[in-house]
Amino acid sequence: MADGLWWLPSLLVFGGAAVAFVAAIVGVRRLGRRRELADLEGGRAAEVRAKQLIVETDERVREARREIAFAEAQFGAEAARPMREASERAERWLREAFLLQQRLDDAEPDTAAERRSWSERIAGLCTSALGALDQAEQALGARRAAERGAGATLAELPETAARLGRRRADAAAALDRLGTRFRPTALVGGRAALDRVDLALAAAGAALAATGQAAGAGDAERAARIAADLDRAAADLDAIDRLELELAGAERAAEQGMRRLDAELVDARRQRDALSEPEDARVLGEAIAGVAELMGGAAAAPAAAELPDPFAERDRLDAALDRLEAARAEARTAQARLDGARSALGGALAIAESQLGVARALVERGRGLVGAGARTRLAEAERQLVIARQEPDPVAALDAARRAAARAADAEALASWDAGAGRR
């Protein structure tokens, strides 16, 4: 090999090593990505389980709220306190679970370890919540069993279940009748209550069929659970019975809301015309136009083929009234600010002019002893006073007049200091 090519074998060796090193890095990275994907895929089951537990826990928490209301009505607030405390703990755990689930669902990329950890935490939180609710419900069931007496309860429960079954048929017929007068959205609460009645009656019926009427060990607890199911069914049937009255109340509230909005619109137009600031009048005018358009649509609704939803109409009118009242309050605040600025502007101008006069006199008396600081502030005070006199916006003019007085006071203080120091 020629002496000039002595470096070639070394180059080949080092080049090969470099290629091997790069290939190893790429291989490790690919292996890491494959492992990460495998870990993510392996954690899917835990994430699915976490979502199922969230749904189950959320449903149980909602049921617990209804159970608390019933227990308070049946036994009093103090007796329902353990159930309320358990529900509050469950709700705290559920909120944390929802936050973790939001992290899992957002668009931010997460590592497999993070997703596994969050899924496990969600499962633990939901399990704790369900356990707390189970304990509280068992204690409440024991209280019901003690209140009722097992033998008499088991004998009475089939008759109670049959009576509630007849009420359930009447409630379903009432909902069908209301469905000919109102939109399905207005009956969502009633339909959901009827579904809960079906579940409660089915659970009670199955338990009664398995238990029979023979007294025995554990009958008191079973009777209490059956009675609780029937009580919940009765409470939901009562809610369905009230639905027609609530719809009528919502219709009256919507009519009152329409009349109130009409009167508010008249007052709002007067207020808009009296505003002195064009921008404030424009903003309030836009709010008025939006509410007027909504009222026009509401007035046209009866002529359409659609059935009414009094709850939605009442809430829509309430929201429109809130928006209009907020716009009017903002306009009143802006107008009051303008009126206050106008009333204060004359006095502020007089103070600024007086302060400027004092500062000018000091600068003129001090002559060469007064330095640049006092003269600069005096010039700025004069400029701000000109702005205050020429500014059409009274708020901005008031601010300028106050700045002029402040700068003039600074000029006076500096001029006094300079003159005194020069004489010393």
Side-chain angles (χ1 to χ4, degrees):
M1 182 180 295
D3 293 340
L5 299 177
W6 61 268
W7 48 268
L8 185 57
S10 300
L11 178 63
L12 293 175
V13 171
F14 286 114
V19 170
F21 180 71
V22 171
I25 291 176
V26 171
V28 168
R29 288 181 176 175
R30 286 178 178 172
L31 181 60
R33 284 197 294 270
R34 285 197 295 270
R35 286 178 177 173
E36 182 73 11
L37 291 174
D39 289 343
L40 286 172
E41 189 63 30
R44 299 295 184 209
E47 293 180 24
V48 170
R49 175 58 178 159
K51 288 182 178 180
Q52 292 172 344
L53 283 170
I54 279 182
V55 172
E56 181 181 354
T57 306
D58 190 39
E59 286 298 318
R60 286 288 301 278
V61 166
R62 295 174 188 275
E63 291 175 4
R65 293 186 191 127
R66 291 191 291 269
E67 186 67 26
I68 290 167
F70 180 74
E72 287 179 346
Q74 186 177 15
F75 302 123
E78 184 59 28
R81 183 172 56 82
M83 186 68 188
R84 190 185 315 107
E85 292 174 351
S87 177
E88 290 171 355
R89 287 198 305 275
E91 288 184 30
R92 287 196 298 271
W93 288 326
L94 183 59
R95 282 195 296 270
E96 184 179 348
F98 278 136
L99 289 174
L100 292 172
Q101 186 62 47
Q102 180 60 41
R103 291 184 188 177
L104 291 170
D105 292 341
D106 62 23
E108 295 294 328
D110 307 312
T111 65
E114 287 174 334
R115 298 185 72 86
R116 189 184 311 108
S117 174
W118 294 340
S119 298
E120 291 173 355
R121 177 62 177 164
I122 290 171
L125 289 167
C126 291
T127 301
S128 298
L130 292 171
L133 293 175
D134 285 340
Q135 290 180 359
E137 288 174 359
Q138 289 173 5
L140 196 58
R143 173 68 181 268
R144 287 196 174 104
E147 291 278 335
R148 288 175 177 271
T153 300
L154 282 173
E156 295 169 358
L157 288 178
E159 182 182 350
T160 303
R163 176 172 52 81
L164 291 176
R166 292 190 294 272
R167 283 190 62 190
R168 187 265 175 215
D170 294 339
L175 286 174
D176 291 339
R177 176 172 48 81
L178 292 174
T180 64
R181 297 169 48 200
F182 302 104
R183 290 185 200 171
T185 53
L187 307 178
V188 167
R191 297 290 184 191
L194 190 63
D195 290 341
R196 292 195 298 270
V197 169
D198 290 340
L199 291 173
L201 290 179
L208 283 171
T211 302
Q213 296 186 5
D219 279 352
E221 183 178 348
R222 286 193 293 271
R225 287 199 298 269
I226 296 170
D229 287 333
L230 295 178
D231 288 339
R232 281 192 286 269
D236 282 322
L237 288 169
D238 290 341
I240 296 173
D241 291 342
R242 293 192 300 269
L243 181 58
E244 188 166 8
L245 292 176
E246 291 172 355
L247 285 165
E251 285 181 317
R252 290 192 299 271
E255 292 172 0
Q256 294 169 359
M258 183 70 75
R259 289 194 295 269
R260 185 179 173 190
L261 260 181
D262 194 22
E264 286 286 334
L265 279 174
V266 173
D267 294 339
R269 291 188 181 101
R270 292 198 190 104
Q271 181 182 353
R272 176 200 59 193
D273 296 340
L275 291 173
S276 56
E277 182 62 34
E279 179 62 19
D280 295 335
R282 183 191 66 78
V283 172
L284 181 56
E286 289 178 353
I288 292 171
V291 173
E293 181 180 357
L294 183 146
M295 289 185 67
E306 295 183 359
L307 296 172
D309 182 345
F311 296 135
E313 188 67 12
R314 176 199 61 194
D315 295 342
R316 190 164 65 109
L317 292 172
D318 286 345
L321 183 61
D322 290 342
R323 289 197 299 271
L324 183 59
E325 288 179 342
R328 292 192 64 194
E330 186 175 350
R332 281 193 297 268
T333 300
Q335 187 63 40
R337 189 164 172 255
L338 287 173
D339 294 341
R342 287 192 186 95
S343 63
L345 181 57
L349 287 171
I351 292 171
E353 289 168 353
S354 174
Q355 193 68 54
L356 268 169
V358 173
R360 285 195 195 100
L362 278 173
V363 171
E364 289 172 0
R365 285 200 304 271
R367 294 183 177 274
L369 297 176
V370 178
R375 297 172 188 270
T376 300
R377 285 162 178 76
L378 179 61
E380 178 62 17
E382 291 171 342
R383 188 179 75 85
Q384 291 293 335
L385 185 58
V386 171
I387 292 174
R389 287 170 175 162
Q390 295 177 351
E391 175 60 55
D393 181 0
V395 175
L398 179 61
D399 291 340
R402 288 171 174 169
R403 285 194 298 272
R407 300 298 180 274
D410 293 343
E412 176 192 355
L414 288 173
S416 298
W417 173 264
D418 290 343
R423 283 193 292 272
R424 288 194 295 273

